[in-house]
């Protein structure tokens, strides 16, 4: 994955370790979910018929678990120290610590011989059994349902908001940008000079600027506030303007981004202009938007998923009851008018099925499917 930092009209490309870390959390959650419904030993002892020595053999599920174990849990905890992790991940971290199996590599499957192999197999199968027992407790099932329900609700509200926008407006100009801080101001976790209070104040000032700058043109907006070890505090914004009155989306986002960088953050800010790179999206949900274009709707669904899905795995702990996801307006769905209905692309989707971890076992292999 790649992150971008715009400063002084230049785009710097950064390795996005935050997204890599989220991917590791997602892998951990799916692996643990799949193991929770598995049966039997994942690791067994075999005899080499040529040498007569015993060695460890793992089935497909055991090998999948090893891929997860290769990444130490300390890395996840380092990146997401300010977050609440998915309940599957919490169970995994506790079990890893209890059995002392953190950071094991694949090569260990072939290095444990004879008596050492026997002990290793017992240790790993005990670890697997702990995962199964913990994920089958009633309190765990309650926690996982609550996690899924919260994310699904955010997604559903997002989609409802978009439908209301297009019900009232035929032509919309969609703007998308990420507002963050220059690397020098947020990379050092211990000594960062961008506090939560300051980042919140900057975001609120940006919302005020959007309302002021686009008065008479603004139809609505959605923002998502996040924190990552690499990017520090940052916000994703999706802004909707009256497409019958304004164009030049790339220029508008650049003007807003420069105002964020130079004025609102007093030179500390950075931004990424998504509209300047619309061709990089397979389904584009920004720029000139029409209600009857199915590819635009798919692009908007993808944005909604992008902004709400990570919360199913890592959710930022907000102080004092603050929100991490907000929207402006808000537009409301109106009662259907009599007469021939306007033809629109289908935005319907079962929100309750968006972010659920559905494990399955097939032909001896173990897997987990994310409905989103």
């Amino acid at each position: 994955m790649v992150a971008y930092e715009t400063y002084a009209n230049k785009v710097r490309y950064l390795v996005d370790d935050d997204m890599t870390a989220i991917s590791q959390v997602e892998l951990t959650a799916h692996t643990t979910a799949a193991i929770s419904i598995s049966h039997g030993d994942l690791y067994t002892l075999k005899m080499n018929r040529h040498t007569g020595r015993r060695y460890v053999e793992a089935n497909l599920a055991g090998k999948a678990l090893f891929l997860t174990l290769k990444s130490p849990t300390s890395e996840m905890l380092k990146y997401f120290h300010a977050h609440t992790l998915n309940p599957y991940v919490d169970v995994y971290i506790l079990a890893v610590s209890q059995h002392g199996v953190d950071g094991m590599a694949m090569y260990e499957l072939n290095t444990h011989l004879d008596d050492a192999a026997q002990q290793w197999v017992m240790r790993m199968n005990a670890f697997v059994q702990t995962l199964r027992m913990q994920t089958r407790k009633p309190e765990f099932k309650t926690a996982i349902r609550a996690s899924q329900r919260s994310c699904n609700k955010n997604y559903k509200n997002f989609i409802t908001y978009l439908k209301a926008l297009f019900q009232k407006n035929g032509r919309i100009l969609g703007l998308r940008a990420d507002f963050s801080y220059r690397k020098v101001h947020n990379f050092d976790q211990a000594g960062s000079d961008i506090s939560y209070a300051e980042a919140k104040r900057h975001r609120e000032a940006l919302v005020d600027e959007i309302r002021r700058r686009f008065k008479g043109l603004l139809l609505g907006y959605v923002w998502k506030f996040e924190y990552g070890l690499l990017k520090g505090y940052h916000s994703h914004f999706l802004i909707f303007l009256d497409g019958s009155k304004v164009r030049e989306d790339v220029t508008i986002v650049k003007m807003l981004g420069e105002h964020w960088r130079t004025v609102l953050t007093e030179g500390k800010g950075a931004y990424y202009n998504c509209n300047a790179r619309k061709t990089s999206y397979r389904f584009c949900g920004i720029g000139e938007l029409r209600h009857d274009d199915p590819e635009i709707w798919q692009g908007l669904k993808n944005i909604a998923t992008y902004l709400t899905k990570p919360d199913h795995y890592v959710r930022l702990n907000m102080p004092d009851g603050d929100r991490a996801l907000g929207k402006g307006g808000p537009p409301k769905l109106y009662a259907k008018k009599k007469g021939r209905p306007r033809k629109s692309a289908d935005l319907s989707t079962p929100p309750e099925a968006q972010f659920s971890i559905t494990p399955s076992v097939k032909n001896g292999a173990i897997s987990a499917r994310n409905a989103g």
Side-chain angles (χ1 to χ4, degrees):
M1 300 298 293
V2 175
Y4 308 84
E5 179 179 77
T6 305
Y7 179 71
N9 294 323
K10 296 181 180 180
V11 177
R12 297 170 56 195
Y13 294 82
L14 308 170
V15 176
D16 194 346
D17 290 337
D18 296 338
M19 290 305 297
T20 301
I22 289 177
S23 297
Q24 181 59 35
V25 172
E26 184 174 355
L27 172 64
T28 301
H30 282 274
T31 300
T32 307
I35 288 176
S36 70
I37 63 166
S38 66
H39 302 279
D41 292 337
L42 303 190
Y43 305 95
T44 56
L45 283 178
K46 296 291 183 178
M47 181 75 71
N48 188 313
R49 63 179 181 177
H50 299 293
T51 65
R53 304 190 70 178
R54 294 182 297 174
Y55 64 94
V56 176
E57 182 176 86
N59 62 16
L60 291 178
K63 292 177 181 179
L65 179 57
F66 250 115
L67 291 177
T68 306
L69 283 169
K70 287 176 68 176
S71 297
T73 57
S74 59
E75 290 297 308
M76 284 191 287
L77 295 175
K78 178 181 73 172
Y79 276 96
F80 303 115
H81 65 95
H83 299 73
T84 297
L85 298 174
N86 182 278
Y88 278 115
V89 180
D90 282 336
V91 164
Y92 172 87
I93 291 175
L94 289 174
V96 161
S97 176
Q98 179 182 341
H99 293 275
V101 295
D102 201 11
M104 286 189 169
M106 276 303 285
Y107 70 84
E108 292 193 54
L109 285 174
N110 300 317
T111 58
H112 290 284
L113 303 173
D114 299 327
D115 293 339
Q118 178 76 40
Q119 296 174 8
W120 191 91
V121 165
M122 293 175 61
R123 180 182 177 190
M124 286 299 297
N125 285 330
F127 166 58
V128 169
Q129 190 59 25
T130 296
L131 291 178
R132 292 169 177 161
M133 291 175 60
Q134 294 299 320
T135 54
R136 293 170 185 176
K137 290 183 176 180
E139 55 266 33
F140 172 83
K141 294 181 179 180
T142 298
I144 202 68
R145 283 195 297 268
S147 175
Q148 293 170 354
R149 186 165 54 247
S150 175
C151 295
N152 294 337
K153 179 180 178 181
N154 286 339
Y155 180 86
K156 182 179 180 179
N157 289 342
F158 200 134
I159 295 299
T160 300
Y161 186 80
L162 294 176
K163 291 175 68 175
L165 279 172
F166 277 89
Q167 185 186 61
K168 190 176 181 181
N169 306 277
R171 296 176 61 184
I172 294 177
L173 188 69
L175 314 177
R176 182 181 175 187
D178 302 334
F179 299 93
S180 56
Y181 297 92
R182 293 174 58 197
K183 188 175 180 180
V184 67
H185 293 288
N186 61 35
F187 185 72
D188 184 358
Q189 175 185 331
S192 173
D193 61 352
I194 304 296
S195 65
Y196 170 79
E198 185 175 14
K200 177 184 177 182
R201 185 168 65 252
H202 288 159
R203 188 196 72 234
E204 291 175 342
L206 179 59
V207 170
D208 291 340
E209 176 64 19
I210 290 170
R211 290 172 173 169
R212 183 198 67 78
R213 184 182 292 257
F214 303 125
K215 186 176 181 180
L217 301 172
L218 183 63
L219 303 178
Y221 59 86
V222 179
W223 55 262
K224 177 68 181 299
F225 189 63
E226 296 180 346
Y227 176 86
L229 189 66
L230 177 68
K231 295 176 68 176
Y233 291 110
H234 57 279
S235 299
H236 304 279
F237 268 78
L238 189 60
I239 305 166
F240 302 100
L241 304 181
D242 188 341
S244 65
K245 298 179 181 179
V246 65
R247 287 179 174 79
E248 302 295 335
D249 57 313
V250 176
T251 302
I252 293 173
V253 174
K254 181 179 179 181
M255 291 173 58
L256 189 61
E258 287 300 310
H259 185 77
W260 161 266
R261 182 181 69 83
T262 60
V263 179
L264 298 182
T265 64
E266 300 177 324
K268 296 180 180 180
Y271 68 93
Y272 176 59
N273 187 342
C274 300
N275 287 67
R277 296 164 182 83
K278 291 193 292 288
T279 56
S280 65
Y281 301 103
R282 180 182 178 187
F283 298 103
C284 186
I286 53 179
E288 296 184 11
L289 308 178
R290 299 185 64 87
H291 67 88
D292 56 353
D293 189 331
E295 290 195 0
I296 286 176
W297 282 122
Q298 185 58 54
L300 290 169
K301 284 183 181 181
N302 292 346
I303 294 174
T305 299
Y306 177 82
L307 294 181
T308 57
K309 179 180 177 180
D311 284 352
H312 187 49
Y313 301 102
V314 288
R315 187 176 69 255
L316 180 62
N317 295 325
M318 302 293 290
D320 304 322
D322 289 348
R323 295 177 299 162
L325 180 68
K327 56 184 182 292
K332 296 181 179 179
L333 285 170
Y334 295 89
K336 293 183 179 180
K337 297 180 180 180
K338 295 182 179 180
R340 186 176 181 180
R342 184 174 69 178
K343 184 179 179 181
S344 297
D346 181 23
L347 188 60
S348 63
T349 187
E352 64 277 7
Q354 282 299 309
F355 308 124
S356 59
I357 299 177
T358 307
S360 63
V361 177
K362 185 177 181 181
N363 297 331
I366 198 164
S367 64
R369 176 179 59 85
N370 188 337

